[in-house]
Amino acid sequence: MNTSKIWFVSDTHFYHKNILKFTDENDNLIRGSKFECIEDMNQAIIDNWNSQVKPYDKVYHLGDVTFKFHDEFVSLWKSLNGIKNLVVGNHDRIGFFVERKLCSKIYMSKKIRENNIILTHMPVHPSTFGYRIHMNIHGHVHQRSISDSRYRNVSLEVIDYKPISLEQIIEEAITDYE
């Protein structure tokens, strides 16, 4: 029997050469110290993704998927395991994903009601939390994280360049709470 998992990832930035030049507030490269070139970065993400995600698992990509909207990217995307869902980021072209049927579903935001979680690209305002929402899984902020246990950043830089499971996020939240 196949038991599927739910995975999250954000800010893959496939084919975005300049991301290897981006620095943090201390002028340290946020990705360039880990990868020599964009091809190395793309391949590492593919390898890490497929080493964890099974073909029948559900993946929520929380935006900023690629910077090149072409057939080469389509081949790369289709090589990634899992049933892919997109929560749109500020650099995504919705029409490209729709026209090529690259995602099972596309959302602006997505609530996972049974876990009281909201999925977004950018972190939500704190007023969003309450009775029905207890956690915001998001991307967009890359290596930075919000020092509030209700937020979980899944940008590649903070999840070791591989998708993270819902199980692990919940386990970490419970540990943080204890």
Side-chain angles (χ1 to χ4, degrees):
M1 180 176 151
N2 290 339
T3 306
S4 63
K5 284 185 156 186
I6 298 174
W7 298 90
F8 305 98
V9 64
S10 185
D11 300 286
T12 47
H13 286 254
F14 289 115
Y15 300 100
H16 183 193
K17 291 180 182 175
N18 282 339
I19 198 160
L20 298 179
K21 298 175 185 174
F22 287 3
T23 58
D24 63 16
E25 59 277 351
N26 297 317
D27 216 26
N28 297 313
L29 293 169
I30 67 168
R31 283 197 194 177
S33 60
K34 185 146 178 92
F35 306 108
E36 289 187 31
C37 62
I38 201 65
E39 293 79 15
D40 288 347
M41 183 191 82
N42 288 348
Q43 192 60 54
I45 295 167
I46 293 165
D47 293 345
N48 289 343
W49 182 306
N50 287 338
S51 72
Q52 297 199 151
V53 177
K54 304 299 178 234
Y56 47 82
D57 288 345
K58 186 180 282 190
V59 179
Y60 288 98
H61 193 300
L62 305 187
D64 288 2
V65 179
T66 186
F67 272 59
K68 297 286 183 186
F69 299 89
H70 51 41
D71 290 341
E72 190 177 351
F73 166 73
V74 172
S75 294
L76 180 156
W77 185 249
K78 288 182 176 182
S79 77
L80 296 170
N81 288 338
I83 301 162
K84 294 177 280 297
N85 299 278
L86 175 62
V87 175
V88 177
N90 53 301
H91 293 293
D92 297 319
R93 294 185 189 167
I94 299 169
F96 179 84
F97 286 90
V98 171
E99 289 167 10
R100 288 159 184 81
K101 299 180 172 120
L102 297 177
C103 296
S104 177
K105 294 192 178 172
I106 298 176
Y107 306 94
M108 296 311 289
S109 66
K110 164 76 174 142
K111 290 180 183 172
I112 302 178
R113 295 189 194 286
E114 58 270 19
N115 299 102
N116 295 342
I117 292 171
I118 188 167
L119 309 177
T120 57
H121 176 62
M122 295 181 191
V124 298
H125 189 274
S127 65
T128 304
F129 297 104
Y131 173 70
R132 297 197 188 272
I133 299 296
H134 298 277
M135 180 182 286
N136 175 208
I137 300 175
H138 65 87
H140 185 67
V141 295
H142 292 275
Q143 80 286 359
R144 297 180 308 272
S145 292
I146 298 169
S147 59
D148 181 328
S149 61
R150 299 175 297 177
Y151 293 92
R152 181 58 162 99
N153 179 7
V154 297
S155 296
L156 279 181
E157 294 86 359
V158 297
I159 58 171
D160 199 27
Y161 300 92
K162 56 189 171 198
I164 186 169
S165 70
L166 177 60
E167 283 176 351
Q168 184 176 344
I169 289 174
I170 290 172
E171 187 177 298
E172 289 173 0
I174 290 169
T175 302
D176 288 347
Y177 184 74
E178 292 173 340

